[in-house]
Amino acid sequence: EVQLVESGGGLVQPGGSLRLSCVASGFDFSSFWMSWIRQAPGKGLEWVANIKEDGSEKYYVDSVKGRFIISRDNAKNSLYLQMGSLRGEDTAVYYCVRGGTDHWGQGTQVTVSS
Amino acid sequence: DIVMTQTPLSLSVTPGQPASISCKSSQSLLYSDGKSYLYWYLQKPGQPPHLLIYEASNRFSGVPDRFSGSGSGTDFTLKISRVEAEDVGVYFCMQSIQLPWTFGQGTKVEIK
């Protein structure tokens, strides 16, 4: 069974940093692109970033470029999102998604507020 | 960016009756491989979204056959042949032919 478990969310002040993690199990993690997708409170879904199977290609939505870094450790079956210079509009539930499409974790809440 | 427009934004359906949701994209989602990179998700209350339909018309593993997807290019439709109580939630379409991947606004389905 495919499982994706996110962690690392929390309350952070504007301008602060946070590192999200996602541990994958039940599939060959190193063979899949991985994505982060977020959902602001009561809002729709927004794709945030993608990373290729070997980490050689990374893509970001414009609103997080230069502030967020997606990475992975295939030996640990783990996906990460290093978030910096956080803003109120980054407040959302962040989901780890296999391939960006088929399997989603339960999400981790990030709240940016003073 | 490709804009995804869903209609209607809300739907109230009697159990056993059909339902249909439209998703239109501002650019064609048809790739040179012949596939349309359009996905349908259902987000039940308090849960993450889960995949129903991939590449416009392929039912994902475990999805009941009352769900079907159709369309190509810029116009797509999700149909539920006979709505059941467990189908309540918000339905989203998503395109992955071009970055940034973008989603429709969501269609909230409730049972009458």
Side-chain angles (χ1 to χ4, degrees):
Chain A
E1 179 193 1
V2 173
Q3 286 200 327
L4 300 164
V5 180
E6 303 94 336
S7 62
L11 174 63
V12 60
Q13 291 190 338
S17 299
L18 214 52
R19 189 195 196 207
L20 306 184
S21 300
C22 169
V23 177
S25 60
F27 66 100
D28 182 7
F29 181 74
S30 64
S31 295
F32 286 85
W33 281 74
M34 295 295 295
S35 304
W36 288 100
I37 293 174
R38 67 185 179 184
Q39 187 169 32
K43 301 289 186 180
L45 297 159
E46 181 181 42
W47 167 80
V48 175
N50 277 358
I51 184 168
K52 196 176 179 180
E53 295 95 333
D54 62 0
S56 61
E57 294 181 33
K58 305 175 184 181
Y59 302 96
Y60 302 90
V61 69
D62 282 351
S63 60
V64 309
K65 282 179 183 174
R67 300 189 300 122
F68 290 10
I69 299 173
I70 189 172
S71 63
R72 65 192 296 162
D73 184 338
N74 287 343
K76 295 183 178 179
N77 288 342
S78 293
L79 176 72
Y80 306 102
L81 187 67
Q82 180 67 48
M83 309 165 68
S85 302
L86 283 162
R87 308 166 180 167
E89 54 263 39
D90 296 318
T91 294
V93 175
Y94 284 73
Y95 295 104
C96 166
V97 185
R98 188 179 83 164
T101 57
D102 61 6
H103 288 276
W104 298 53
Q106 289 297 310
T108 186
Q109 174 71 50
V110 172
T111 302
V112 183
S113 175
S114 55
Chain B
D1 298 1
I2 296 177
V3 177
M4 306 296 289
T5 303
Q6 286 181 234
T7 53
L9 297 184
S10 65
L11 203 50
S12 184
V13 188
T14 301
Q17 293 300 301
S20 178
I21 300 170
S22 169
C23 178
K24 295 183 187 297
S25 58
S26 60
Q27 297 176 38
S28 177
L29 304 185
L30 181 61
Y31 193 56
S32 54
D33 60 5
K35 299 177 183 178
S36 285
Y37 285 85
L38 185 282
Y39 300 80
W40 288 101
Y41 297 90
L42 166 59
Q43 185 172 30
K44 295 183 180 182
Q47 295 184 20
H50 68 267
L51 182 63
L52 297 173
I53 303 289
Y54 65 96
E55 293 164 8
S57 60
N58 299 290
R59 205 176 301 113
F60 188 55
S61 175
V63 174
D65 61 8
R66 64 180 181 275
F67 291 94
S68 64
S70 63
S72 182
T74 61
D75 288 357
F76 302 89
T77 302
L78 176 70
K79 292 183 179 177
I80 311 172
S81 58
R82 295 173 305 280
V83 172
E84 297 187 6
E86 65 182 26
D87 300 336
V88 298
V90 181
Y91 291 77
F92 294 95
C93 59
M94 185 197 85
Q95 66 80 21
S96 69
I97 197 171
Q98 178 188 108
L99 292 175
W101 294 356
T102 48
F103 293 84
Q105 318 95 300
T107 295
K108 186 173 184 178
V109 172
E110 63 174 23
I111 300 296
K112 282 184 181 174

